[in-house]
Amino acid sequence: MHLGQPTPEAVGRLYDEATDLLLAAMGGNIHLGYWDDEDDDSPIGGATDRLTDLVGARLRPAPGQRVLDVGCGTGRSAARISADYGVHVTGVTVSAYQVEVARRSPPGAAGSTEFVLADAAARLPYPDGSFDAAYALESLLHIADHEAVLSQITRVLRPGGRVVVADACLRRRPDEGTLAVIAQMSAAFQFADIPTRSEYHERLAAAGMTVIEYADIGEHVRRTYFSAAETVRAAADGFDAQTAAEMAATADLLVGFGALPDIGYALITASA
Ligand code: SAH
């Protein structure tokens, strides 16, 4: 479901400003955490790395292969996947600050990484067929033109290359109250789109991809919104009254959005 039309510049500005707080709220990654069940008491950083591991396990790149990370944040998943599989990961982001931080963090011994400032919905700065696999971990959410970004991904992948998309999904058409919370969250965090399962299928197919698996893991990741809200609330103490009030409102919004039963989380495996 289309929500807004944030420009890549606006998304870049959001991440230039908010990356440090988001890293603190999500334990070094900028994506949701995965917990097995209510008894799983993994800390947030372990849980967000776990989601990276679920993406890696679905890509299963062979040693030496080239992998594209579409919307790489500060590169923690790229570094982890490159080290775990001994592959070269290229990350693109629209935030100059994220490129700078990512370039400072070395990959694990077995792999290598590089980070580039680029808008994935424009032309990706790589030749056709130059990657063996690609993943988009919570970046499609910010991109209004899914057709453009998905067809760019198909273009730069070799035929048959694996693709993993991990992002929010909409489980059903929301009622007015739900829609109001989604709209507020979208405005605060520059969301462009939260697709339904059938929208994901249609868009991936239109870009020439075949879906291998679609899993809604929403109930395993939901806890992140509440724990991130706590971190934002605690961080607000160090700021002036107005900023603290804005941060408290953001924390309320995270709790309100995280509690929406209509919001799930799609973990999609496809091939180009
Ligand atoms: N995948 C990372 C970061 C997720 S945050 C992680 O899991 O930690 C969303 C990311 O998507 C940011 O890095 C943002 O810069 C990137 N992004 C959003 N729109 C983009 C676009 N049009 N092109 C490239 N990257 C984009």
Side-chain angles (χ1 to χ4, degrees), residues 153-222:
I153 295 172
T154 309
R155 180 184 68 74
V156 300
L157 278 177
R158 65 167 166 77
R162 268 289 157 101
V163 183
V164 172
V165 170
D167 221 317
C169 67
L170 202 54
R171 290 175 171 164
R172 60 191 76 79
R173 177 150 286 282
D175 63 22
E176 292 290 305
T178 300
L179 212 52
V181 179
I182 294 175
Q184 273 184 304
M185 184 78 176
S186 303
F189 288 96
Q190 305 280 353
F191 292 174
D193 205 324
I194 303 181
T196 59
R197 181 182 186 135
S198 58
E199 283 172 336
Y200 272 122
H201 272 90
E202 283 159 20
R203 293 173 193 183
L204 290 159
M209 297 181 197
T210 308
V211 175
I212 297 165
E213 185 198 19
Y214 182 104
D216 183 340
I217 58 166
E219 300 321 309
H220 291 279
V221 301
R222 197 175 287 288

Short mmCIF file of all heavy atoms in Angstrom, two decimals, residues 153-222:
data_model
loop_
_atom_site.label_atom_id
_atom_site.label_comp_id
_atom_site.label_asym_id
_atom_site.label_seq_id
_atom_site.Cartn_x
_atom_site.Cartn_y
_atom_site.Cartn_z
N ILE A 153 17.67 -4.42 -9.51
CA ILE A 153 18.28 -5.58 -8.84
C ILE A 153 18.36 -6.76 -9.82
O ILE A 153 19.40 -7.41 -9.95
CB ILE A 153 17.50 -5.96 -7.55
CG1 ILE A 153 17.61 -4.82 -6.52
CG2 ILE A 153 18.01 -7.27 -6.97
CD1 ILE A 153 16.73 -4.99 -5.28
N THR A 154 17.27 -7.02 -10.54
CA THR A 154 17.28 -8.12 -11.52
C THR A 154 18.36 -7.89 -12.57
O THR A 154 19.08 -8.81 -12.95
CB THR A 154 15.91 -8.22 -12.23
OG1 THR A 154 14.89 -8.26 -11.25
CG2 THR A 154 15.82 -9.48 -13.08
N ARG A 155 18.50 -6.64 -13.01
CA ARG A 155 19.48 -6.33 -14.05
C ARG A 155 20.91 -6.63 -13.60
O ARG A 155 21.69 -7.22 -14.34
CB ARG A 155 19.37 -4.85 -14.47
CG ARG A 155 20.35 -4.42 -15.55
CD ARG A 155 20.28 -2.94 -15.87
NE ARG A 155 20.74 -2.09 -14.80
CZ ARG A 155 22.02 -1.92 -14.45
NH1 ARG A 155 22.99 -2.56 -15.08
NH2 ARG A 155 22.35 -1.12 -13.44
N VAL A 156 21.25 -6.23 -12.37
CA VAL A 156 22.65 -6.39 -11.94
C VAL A 156 22.96 -7.81 -11.45
O VAL A 156 24.11 -8.15 -11.21
CB VAL A 156 23.09 -5.35 -10.88
CG1 VAL A 156 22.95 -3.94 -11.42
CG2 VAL A 156 22.32 -5.51 -9.57
N LEU A 157 21.91 -8.64 -11.31
CA LEU A 157 22.13 -10.04 -10.91
C LEU A 157 22.35 -10.92 -12.13
O LEU A 157 21.80 -10.66 -13.19
CB LEU A 157 20.91 -10.58 -10.16
CG LEU A 157 20.78 -10.24 -8.69
CD1 LEU A 157 19.48 -10.81 -8.15
CD2 LEU A 157 21.96 -10.79 -7.90
N ARG A 158 23.11 -11.99 -11.93
CA ARG A 158 23.18 -12.98 -12.99
C ARG A 158 21.86 -13.75 -12.99
O ARG A 158 21.20 -13.87 -11.93
CB ARG A 158 24.37 -13.92 -12.77
CG ARG A 158 24.26 -14.77 -11.52
CD ARG A 158 25.28 -15.87 -11.51
NE ARG A 158 25.40 -16.47 -10.20
CZ ARG A 158 24.55 -17.34 -9.66
NH1 ARG A 158 23.47 -17.70 -10.33
NH2 ARG A 158 24.76 -17.85 -8.46
N PRO A 159 21.46 -14.30 -14.15
CA PRO A 159 20.20 -15.06 -14.19
C PRO A 159 20.24 -16.20 -13.15
O PRO A 159 21.26 -16.88 -13.01
CB PRO A 159 20.18 -15.63 -15.61
CG PRO A 159 21.05 -14.71 -16.41
CD PRO A 159 22.11 -14.22 -15.47
N GLY A 160 19.17 -16.34 -12.40
CA GLY A 160 19.12 -17.39 -11.37
C GLY A 160 19.67 -16.95 -10.03
O GLY A 160 19.58 -17.68 -9.05
N GLY A 161 20.24 -15.74 -9.96
CA GLY A 161 20.80 -15.25 -8.69
C GLY A 161 19.72 -15.11 -7.62
O GLY A 161 18.57 -14.78 -7.91
N ARG A 162 20.11 -15.39 -6.37
CA ARG A 162 19.17 -15.32 -5.24
C ARG A 162 18.91 -13.89 -4.79
O ARG A 162 19.83 -13.07 -4.78
CB ARG A 162 19.79 -16.04 -4.04
CG ARG A 162 19.46 -17.50 -3.88
CD ARG A 162 18.05 -17.72 -3.47
NE ARG A 162 17.66 -19.06 -3.85
CZ ARG A 162 17.59 -20.10 -3.01
NH1 ARG A 162 17.90 -19.95 -1.75
NH2 ARG A 162 17.20 -21.27 -3.45
N VAL A 163 17.67 -13.64 -4.36
CA VAL A 163 17.30 -12.34 -3.81
C VAL A 163 16.55 -12.57 -2.50
O VAL A 163 15.67 -13.44 -2.46
CB VAL A 163 16.34 -11.57 -4.76
CG1 VAL A 163 16.02 -10.19 -4.19
CG2 VAL A 163 16.93 -11.44 -6.15
N VAL A 164 16.90 -11.84 -1.46
CA VAL A 164 16.10 -11.89 -0.23
C VAL A 164 15.63 -10.48 0.10
O VAL A 164 16.42 -9.52 0.07
CB VAL A 164 16.90 -12.49 0.95
CG1 VAL A 164 16.12 -12.35 2.25
CG2 VAL A 164 17.23 -13.95 0.69
N VAL A 165 14.32 -10.36 0.35
CA VAL A 165 13.73 -9.10 0.80
C VAL A 165 13.21 -9.32 2.21
O VAL A 165 12.50 -10.30 2.47
CB VAL A 165 12.57 -8.68 -0.13
CG1 VAL A 165 11.80 -7.50 0.46
CG2 VAL A 165 13.08 -8.33 -1.52
N ALA A 166 13.59 -8.45 3.13
CA ALA A 166 13.08 -8.51 4.50
C ALA A 166 12.52 -7.14 4.83
O ALA A 166 13.27 -6.15 4.82
CB ALA A 166 14.19 -8.88 5.47
N ASP A 167 11.23 -7.06 5.08
CA ASP A 167 10.61 -5.74 5.28
C ASP A 167 9.20 -5.88 5.85
O ASP A 167 8.62 -6.96 5.82
CB ASP A 167 10.55 -4.98 3.95
CG ASP A 167 10.91 -3.51 4.11
OD1 ASP A 167 10.44 -2.90 5.09
OD2 ASP A 167 11.66 -2.99 3.27
N ALA A 168 8.68 -4.75 6.30
CA ALA A 168 7.31 -4.74 6.81
C ALA A 168 6.34 -5.15 5.72
O ALA A 168 6.57 -4.91 4.53
CB ALA A 168 6.97 -3.34 7.31
N CYS A 169 5.24 -5.78 6.12
CA CYS A 169 4.16 -6.07 5.17
C CYS A 169 2.83 -5.76 5.85
O CYS A 169 2.74 -5.69 7.07
CB CYS A 169 4.21 -7.52 4.71
SG CYS A 169 3.87 -8.72 6.00
N LEU A 170 1.84 -5.57 5.01
CA LEU A 170 0.49 -5.29 5.49
C LEU A 170 -0.32 -6.58 5.36
O LEU A 170 -0.32 -7.20 4.30
CB LEU A 170 -0.09 -4.18 4.61
CG LEU A 170 -1.22 -3.35 5.14
CD1 LEU A 170 -0.90 -2.71 6.49
CD2 LEU A 170 -1.54 -2.25 4.12
N ARG A 171 -0.97 -6.97 6.45
CA ARG A 171 -1.68 -8.26 6.42
C ARG A 171 -3.09 -8.17 5.86
O ARG A 171 -3.66 -9.16 5.43
CB ARG A 171 -1.74 -8.82 7.84
CG ARG A 171 -0.36 -9.26 8.31
CD ARG A 171 -0.40 -9.70 9.74
NE ARG A 171 0.86 -10.32 10.11
CZ ARG A 171 1.23 -10.52 11.37
NH1 ARG A 171 0.44 -10.15 12.35
NH2 ARG A 171 2.38 -11.10 11.63
N ARG A 172 -3.68 -7.01 5.95
CA ARG A 172 -5.03 -6.80 5.40
C ARG A 172 -5.23 -5.31 5.22
O ARG A 172 -4.41 -4.51 5.67
CB ARG A 172 -6.10 -7.39 6.31
CG ARG A 172 -6.13 -6.79 7.71
CD ARG A 172 -7.03 -7.57 8.63
NE ARG A 172 -6.38 -8.81 9.04
CZ ARG A 172 -5.45 -8.88 10.00
NH1 ARG A 172 -5.06 -7.80 10.65
NH2 ARG A 172 -4.89 -10.01 10.33
N ARG A 173 -6.31 -4.96 4.56
CA ARG A 173 -6.60 -3.53 4.37
C ARG A 173 -6.91 -2.90 5.73
O ARG A 173 -7.83 -3.35 6.43
CB ARG A 173 -7.81 -3.41 3.42
CG ARG A 173 -8.28 -2.00 3.17
CD ARG A 173 -8.88 -1.85 1.80
NE ARG A 173 -7.85 -1.86 0.76
CZ ARG A 173 -7.06 -0.82 0.47
NH1 ARG A 173 -7.18 0.32 1.11
NH2 ARG A 173 -6.16 -0.93 -0.49
N PRO A 174 -6.15 -1.90 6.15
CA PRO A 174 -6.34 -1.35 7.50
C PRO A 174 -7.58 -0.48 7.63
O PRO A 174 -8.00 0.15 6.66
CB PRO A 174 -5.08 -0.51 7.70
CG PRO A 174 -4.51 -0.26 6.36
CD PRO A 174 -5.04 -1.29 5.42
N ASP A 175 -8.14 -0.46 8.85
CA ASP A 175 -9.27 0.45 9.10
C ASP A 175 -8.72 1.87 9.33
O ASP A 175 -7.51 2.08 9.37
CB ASP A 175 -10.13 -0.04 10.28
CG ASP A 175 -9.35 -0.07 11.59
OD1 ASP A 175 -8.32 0.66 11.71
OD2 ASP A 175 -9.74 -0.82 12.49
N GLU A 176 -9.64 2.83 9.51
CA GLU A 176 -9.24 4.24 9.62
C GLU A 176 -8.22 4.51 10.73
O GLU A 176 -7.23 5.21 10.54
CB GLU A 176 -10.48 5.11 9.90
CG GLU A 176 -11.45 5.19 8.74
CD GLU A 176 -10.90 6.00 7.58
OE1 GLU A 176 -10.52 7.17 7.83
OE2 GLU A 176 -10.83 5.47 6.46
N GLY A 177 -8.49 3.93 11.91
CA GLY A 177 -7.62 4.17 13.07
C GLY A 177 -6.21 3.64 12.80
O GLY A 177 -5.22 4.32 13.08
N THR A 178 -6.15 2.44 12.24
CA THR A 178 -4.86 1.83 11.93
C THR A 178 -4.12 2.67 10.90
O THR A 178 -2.92 2.93 11.01
CB THR A 178 -5.08 0.39 11.39
OG1 THR A 178 -5.75 -0.35 12.40
CG2 THR A 178 -3.77 -0.28 11.04
N LEU A 179 -4.90 3.10 9.90
CA LEU A 179 -4.31 3.90 8.82
C LEU A 179 -3.70 5.20 9.36
O LEU A 179 -2.63 5.63 8.90
CB LEU A 179 -5.41 4.22 7.81
CG LEU A 179 -5.01 4.35 6.36
CD1 LEU A 179 -4.20 3.16 5.89
CD2 LEU A 179 -6.26 4.52 5.50
N ALA A 180 -4.34 5.78 10.36
CA ALA A 180 -3.84 7.04 10.93
C ALA A 180 -2.48 6.80 11.60
O ALA A 180 -1.56 7.62 11.45
CB ALA A 180 -4.85 7.60 11.94
N VAL A 181 -2.33 5.68 12.30
CA VAL A 181 -1.05 5.38 12.96
C VAL A 181 0.02 5.12 11.90
O VAL A 181 1.15 5.60 11.99
CB VAL A 181 -1.18 4.16 13.91
CG1 VAL A 181 0.16 3.84 14.56
CG2 VAL A 181 -2.24 4.41 14.96
N ILE A 182 -0.35 4.36 10.86
CA ILE A 182 0.60 4.06 9.78
C ILE A 182 1.05 5.36 9.10
O ILE A 182 2.23 5.55 8.81
CB ILE A 182 -0.01 3.08 8.76
CG1 ILE A 182 -0.25 1.71 9.41
CG2 ILE A 182 0.90 2.94 7.53
CD1 ILE A 182 -0.97 0.71 8.53
N ALA A 183 0.11 6.28 8.90
CA ALA A 183 0.44 7.55 8.24
C ALA A 183 1.40 8.37 9.09
O ALA A 183 2.36 8.96 8.57
CB ALA A 183 -0.84 8.34 7.95
N GLN A 184 1.18 8.39 10.40
CA GLN A 184 2.08 9.15 11.30
C GLN A 184 3.48 8.54 11.30
O GLN A 184 4.48 9.24 11.26
CB GLN A 184 1.55 9.07 12.74
CG GLN A 184 0.55 10.13 13.09
CD GLN A 184 0.20 9.99 14.57
OE1 GLN A 184 -0.23 8.92 15.01
NE2 GLN A 184 0.39 11.04 15.33
N MET A 185 3.52 7.22 11.36
CA MET A 185 4.80 6.52 11.38
C MET A 185 5.53 6.77 10.06
O MET A 185 6.75 6.98 10.03
CB MET A 185 4.52 5.02 11.58
CG MET A 185 5.74 4.18 11.71
SD MET A 185 6.46 4.30 13.37
CE MET A 185 7.77 3.09 13.15
N SER A 186 4.79 6.75 8.96
CA SER A 186 5.39 6.95 7.63
C SER A 186 5.98 8.34 7.52
O SER A 186 7.06 8.52 6.95
CB SER A 186 4.34 6.78 6.53
OG SER A 186 3.76 5.53 6.64
N ALA A 187 5.27 9.32 8.06
CA ALA A 187 5.77 10.69 8.00
C ALA A 187 7.03 10.83 8.86
O ALA A 187 8.02 11.44 8.44
CB ALA A 187 4.69 11.66 8.48
N ALA A 188 7.04 10.21 10.04
CA ALA A 188 8.19 10.35 10.94
C ALA A 188 9.42 9.63 10.39
O ALA A 188 10.54 10.08 10.59
CB ALA A 188 7.83 9.82 12.32
N PHE A 189 9.20 8.48 9.74
CA PHE A 189 10.34 7.66 9.32
C PHE A 189 10.48 7.53 7.80
O PHE A 189 11.15 6.63 7.32
CB PHE A 189 10.25 6.26 9.96
CG PHE A 189 10.55 6.28 11.44
CD1 PHE A 189 9.51 6.35 12.36
CD2 PHE A 189 11.85 6.26 11.91
CE1 PHE A 189 9.78 6.38 13.73
CE2 PHE A 189 12.13 6.30 13.27
CZ PHE A 189 11.09 6.36 14.19
N GLN A 190 9.83 8.42 7.07
CA GLN A 190 10.00 8.45 5.60
C GLN A 190 9.66 7.12 4.94
O GLN A 190 10.41 6.63 4.09
CB GLN A 190 11.44 8.86 5.22
CG GLN A 190 11.91 10.17 5.81
CD GLN A 190 11.41 11.38 5.05
OE1 GLN A 190 10.80 11.25 3.99
NE2 GLN A 190 11.63 12.56 5.56
N PHE A 191 8.53 6.54 5.33
CA PHE A 191 8.08 5.31 4.65
C PHE A 191 7.40 5.69 3.34
O PHE A 191 6.64 6.65 3.28
CB PHE A 191 7.04 4.54 5.48
CG PHE A 191 7.57 3.93 6.75
CD1 PHE A 191 6.68 3.32 7.63
CD2 PHE A 191 8.91 3.95 7.08
CE1 PHE A 191 7.13 2.74 8.81
CE2 PHE A 191 9.38 3.37 8.26
CZ PHE A 191 8.48 2.77 9.13
N ALA A 192 7.65 4.88 2.31
CA ALA A 192 6.99 5.11 1.02
C ALA A 192 5.89 4.08 0.77
O ALA A 192 4.90 4.36 0.10
CB ALA A 192 8.02 5.02 -0.10
N ASP A 193 6.06 2.88 1.33
CA ASP A 193 5.19 1.79 0.92
C ASP A 193 5.28 0.63 1.92
O ASP A 193 6.38 0.27 2.34
CB ASP A 193 5.68 1.27 -0.45
CG ASP A 193 4.58 0.60 -1.25
OD1 ASP A 193 3.74 -0.06 -0.63
OD2 ASP A 193 4.58 0.75 -2.47
N ILE A 194 4.14 0.07 2.29
CA ILE A 194 4.14 -1.21 3.02
C ILE A 194 3.26 -2.15 2.21
O ILE A 194 2.03 -2.09 2.29
CB ILE A 194 3.61 -1.06 4.47
CG1 ILE A 194 4.45 -0.02 5.24
CG2 ILE A 194 3.67 -2.43 5.18
CD1 ILE A 194 4.03 0.17 6.68
N PRO A 195 3.87 -3.01 1.40
CA PRO A 195 3.07 -3.85 0.50
C PRO A 195 2.36 -5.00 1.23
O PRO A 195 2.80 -5.45 2.29
CB PRO A 195 4.11 -4.42 -0.47
CG PRO A 195 5.34 -3.58 -0.30
CD PRO A 195 5.30 -3.11 1.13
N THR A 196 1.27 -5.45 0.63
CA THR A 196 0.62 -6.69 1.07
C THR A 196 1.37 -7.85 0.43
O THR A 196 2.20 -7.65 -0.47
CB THR A 196 -0.83 -6.74 0.60
OG1 THR A 196 -0.83 -6.66 -0.83
CG2 THR A 196 -1.65 -5.59 1.17
N ARG A 197 1.03 -9.06 0.87
CA ARG A 197 1.66 -10.24 0.30
C ARG A 197 1.46 -10.30 -1.22
O ARG A 197 2.39 -10.56 -1.98
CB ARG A 197 1.05 -11.48 0.96
CG ARG A 197 1.63 -12.77 0.49
CD ARG A 197 0.91 -13.94 1.18
NE ARG A 197 1.58 -15.16 0.81
CZ ARG A 197 1.90 -16.14 1.65
NH1 ARG A 197 1.59 -16.04 2.91
NH2 ARG A 197 2.49 -17.21 1.21
N SER A 198 0.23 -10.00 -1.66
CA SER A 198 0.00 -10.11 -3.11
C SER A 198 0.73 -8.99 -3.86
O SER A 198 1.20 -9.20 -4.98
CB SER A 198 -1.48 -10.19 -3.46
OG SER A 198 -2.14 -9.07 -2.98
N GLU A 199 0.83 -7.81 -3.24
CA GLU A 199 1.61 -6.74 -3.90
C GLU A 199 3.08 -7.14 -4.04
O GLU A 199 3.70 -6.92 -5.08
CB GLU A 199 1.49 -5.42 -3.12
CG GLU A 199 0.16 -4.72 -3.36
CD GLU A 199 -0.07 -3.50 -2.46
OE1 GLU A 199 0.53 -3.41 -1.36
OE2 GLU A 199 -0.88 -2.65 -2.86
N TYR A 200 3.65 -7.74 -2.99
CA TYR A 200 5.04 -8.21 -3.09
C TYR A 200 5.18 -9.21 -4.25
O TYR A 200 6.09 -9.11 -5.07
CB TYR A 200 5.50 -8.87 -1.79
CG TYR A 200 6.10 -7.94 -0.76
CD1 TYR A 200 5.55 -7.83 0.51
CD2 TYR A 200 7.24 -7.18 -1.04
CE1 TYR A 200 6.12 -6.99 1.47
CE2 TYR A 200 7.81 -6.34 -0.09
CZ TYR A 200 7.24 -6.25 1.17
OH TYR A 200 7.80 -5.42 2.10
N HIS A 201 4.26 -10.17 -4.28
CA HIS A 201 4.33 -11.18 -5.34
C HIS A 201 4.25 -10.54 -6.73
O HIS A 201 5.04 -10.86 -7.60
CB HIS A 201 3.21 -12.21 -5.17
CG HIS A 201 3.59 -13.36 -4.29
ND1 HIS A 201 3.39 -13.35 -2.93
CD2 HIS A 201 4.20 -14.53 -4.56
CE1 HIS A 201 3.85 -14.47 -2.41
NE2 HIS A 201 4.35 -15.21 -3.37
N GLU A 202 3.28 -9.65 -6.90
CA GLU A 202 3.09 -9.01 -8.21
C GLU A 202 4.34 -8.22 -8.62
O GLU A 202 4.78 -8.27 -9.76
CB GLU A 202 1.92 -8.01 -8.17
CG GLU A 202 0.55 -8.65 -8.22
CD GLU A 202 -0.53 -7.70 -7.67
OE1 GLU A 202 -0.29 -6.46 -7.61
OE2 GLU A 202 -1.59 -8.22 -7.27
N ARG A 203 4.90 -7.47 -7.65
CA ARG A 203 6.04 -6.60 -7.98
C ARG A 203 7.29 -7.40 -8.28
O ARG A 203 8.05 -7.05 -9.19
CB ARG A 203 6.28 -5.62 -6.83
CG ARG A 203 5.11 -4.64 -6.70
CD ARG A 203 5.27 -3.79 -5.47
NE ARG A 203 4.03 -3.09 -5.17
CZ ARG A 203 3.88 -2.23 -4.19
NH1 ARG A 203 4.90 -1.97 -3.38
NH2 ARG A 203 2.73 -1.63 -3.98
N LEU A 204 7.52 -8.45 -7.51
CA LEU A 204 8.70 -9.28 -7.78
C LEU A 204 8.56 -9.96 -9.14
O LEU A 204 9.51 -10.01 -9.92
CB LEU A 204 8.89 -10.31 -6.66
CG LEU A 204 9.34 -9.69 -5.31
CD1 LEU A 204 9.03 -10.62 -4.14
CD2 LEU A 204 10.83 -9.36 -5.32
N ALA A 205 7.35 -10.45 -9.42
CA ALA A 205 7.12 -11.11 -10.71
C ALA A 205 7.30 -10.12 -11.86
O ALA A 205 7.93 -10.44 -12.88
CB ALA A 205 5.71 -11.72 -10.74
N ALA A 206 6.79 -8.88 -11.67
CA ALA A 206 6.91 -7.87 -12.73
C ALA A 206 8.37 -7.53 -13.02
O ALA A 206 8.72 -7.15 -14.13
CB ALA A 206 6.14 -6.61 -12.34
N ALA A 207 9.23 -7.69 -11.98
CA ALA A 207 10.66 -7.40 -12.17
C ALA A 207 11.41 -8.63 -12.68
O ALA A 207 12.65 -8.60 -12.77
CB ALA A 207 11.26 -6.91 -10.86
N GLY A 208 10.68 -9.69 -12.97
CA GLY A 208 11.32 -10.88 -13.54
C GLY A 208 11.85 -11.86 -12.50
O GLY A 208 12.68 -12.71 -12.80
N MET A 209 11.36 -11.73 -11.26
CA MET A 209 11.82 -12.66 -10.21
C MET A 209 10.76 -13.72 -9.92
O MET A 209 9.57 -13.47 -10.06
CB MET A 209 12.10 -11.88 -8.92
CG MET A 209 13.23 -10.86 -9.05
SD MET A 209 13.48 -10.04 -7.48
CE MET A 209 14.41 -8.60 -7.99
N THR A 210 11.23 -14.88 -9.45
CA THR A 210 10.33 -15.96 -9.05
C THR A 210 10.42 -16.12 -7.54
O THR A 210 11.52 -16.29 -7.00
CB THR A 210 10.79 -17.29 -9.71
OG1 THR A 210 10.92 -17.06 -11.11
CG2 THR A 210 9.79 -18.40 -9.46
N VAL A 211 9.28 -16.06 -6.87
CA VAL A 211 9.28 -16.20 -5.41
C VAL A 211 9.43 -17.68 -5.05
O VAL A 211 8.69 -18.53 -5.53
CB VAL A 211 8.00 -15.61 -4.78
CG1 VAL A 211 7.95 -15.88 -3.28
CG2 VAL A 211 7.92 -14.11 -5.04
N ILE A 212 10.41 -17.95 -4.19
CA ILE A 212 10.65 -19.33 -3.73
C ILE A 212 9.95 -19.56 -2.39
O ILE A 212 9.39 -20.60 -2.13
CB ILE A 212 12.18 -19.57 -3.59
CG1 ILE A 212 12.85 -19.44 -4.97
CG2 ILE A 212 12.47 -20.94 -2.97
CD1 ILE A 212 14.38 -19.31 -4.89
N GLU A 213 10.01 -18.54 -1.54
CA GLU A 213 9.37 -18.66 -0.22
C GLU A 213 8.90 -17.30 0.25
O GLU A 213 9.62 -16.31 0.08
CB GLU A 213 10.38 -19.22 0.80
CG GLU A 213 9.76 -19.50 2.17
CD GLU A 213 10.79 -19.64 3.30
OE1 GLU A 213 11.95 -19.19 3.17
OE2 GLU A 213 10.42 -20.18 4.35
N TYR A 214 7.71 -17.24 0.85
CA TYR A 214 7.22 -16.01 1.49
C TYR A 214 6.84 -16.38 2.92
O TYR A 214 5.94 -17.18 3.13
CB TYR A 214 6.00 -15.47 0.74
CG TYR A 214 5.46 -14.16 1.31
CD1 TYR A 214 5.69 -12.94 0.67
CD2 TYR A 214 4.71 -14.14 2.49
CE1 TYR A 214 5.21 -11.75 1.20
CE2 TYR A 214 4.23 -12.94 3.02
CZ TYR A 214 4.48 -11.75 2.37
OH TYR A 214 4.00 -10.56 2.88
N ALA A 215 7.54 -15.82 3.89
CA ALA A 215 7.22 -16.11 5.29
C ALA A 215 6.88 -14.80 5.99
O ALA A 215 7.60 -13.82 5.83
CB ALA A 215 8.41 -16.77 5.97
N ASP A 216 5.78 -14.78 6.73
CA ASP A 216 5.47 -13.61 7.57
C ASP A 216 5.95 -13.92 8.99
O ASP A 216 5.36 -14.74 9.69
CB ASP A 216 3.96 -13.32 7.54
CG ASP A 216 3.60 -12.07 8.35
OD1 ASP A 216 4.39 -11.65 9.23
OD2 ASP A 216 2.50 -11.53 8.12
N ILE A 217 7.07 -13.28 9.38
CA ILE A 217 7.68 -13.55 10.69
C ILE A 217 7.36 -12.42 11.68
O ILE A 217 8.09 -12.20 12.65
CB ILE A 217 9.21 -13.75 10.57
CG1 ILE A 217 9.89 -12.52 9.94
CG2 ILE A 217 9.53 -15.01 9.74
CD1 ILE A 217 11.42 -12.51 10.09
N GLY A 218 6.26 -11.72 11.41
CA GLY A 218 5.91 -10.53 12.18
C GLY A 218 5.92 -10.73 13.69
O GLY A 218 6.38 -9.85 14.44
N GLU A 219 5.41 -11.87 14.16
CA GLU A 219 5.33 -12.06 15.61
C GLU A 219 6.70 -12.32 16.24
O GLU A 219 6.86 -12.20 17.45
CB GLU A 219 4.32 -13.15 15.96
CG GLU A 219 2.89 -12.85 15.47
CD GLU A 219 2.50 -11.37 15.61
OE1 GLU A 219 2.66 -10.80 16.71
OE2 GLU A 219 2.04 -10.77 14.60
N HIS A 220 7.68 -12.68 15.44
CA HIS A 220 9.04 -12.89 15.97
C HIS A 220 9.83 -11.59 16.07
O HIS A 220 10.88 -11.56 16.72
CB HIS A 220 9.82 -13.85 15.06
CG HIS A 220 9.31 -15.25 15.12
ND1 HIS A 220 9.64 -16.12 16.12
CD2 HIS A 220 8.46 -15.92 14.29
CE1 HIS A 220 9.04 -17.28 15.91
NE2 HIS A 220 8.32 -17.18 14.81
N VAL A 221 9.39 -10.56 15.38
CA VAL A 221 10.17 -9.31 15.33
C VAL A 221 9.50 -8.14 16.07
O VAL A 221 10.12 -7.11 16.31
CB VAL A 221 10.47 -8.86 13.86
CG1 VAL A 221 11.24 -9.94 13.11
CG2 VAL A 221 9.19 -8.49 13.11
N ARG A 222 8.23 -8.32 16.45
CA ARG A 222 7.42 -7.23 16.99
C ARG A 222 8.03 -6.56 18.22
O ARG A 222 7.92 -5.36 18.42
CB ARG A 222 6.03 -7.79 17.32
CG ARG A 222 4.96 -6.76 17.52
CD ARG A 222 3.60 -7.40 17.72
NE ARG A 222 2.98 -7.99 16.54
CZ ARG A 222 2.47 -7.29 15.52
NH1 ARG A 222 2.52 -5.98 15.53
NH2 ARG A 222 1.92 -7.91 14.50
#
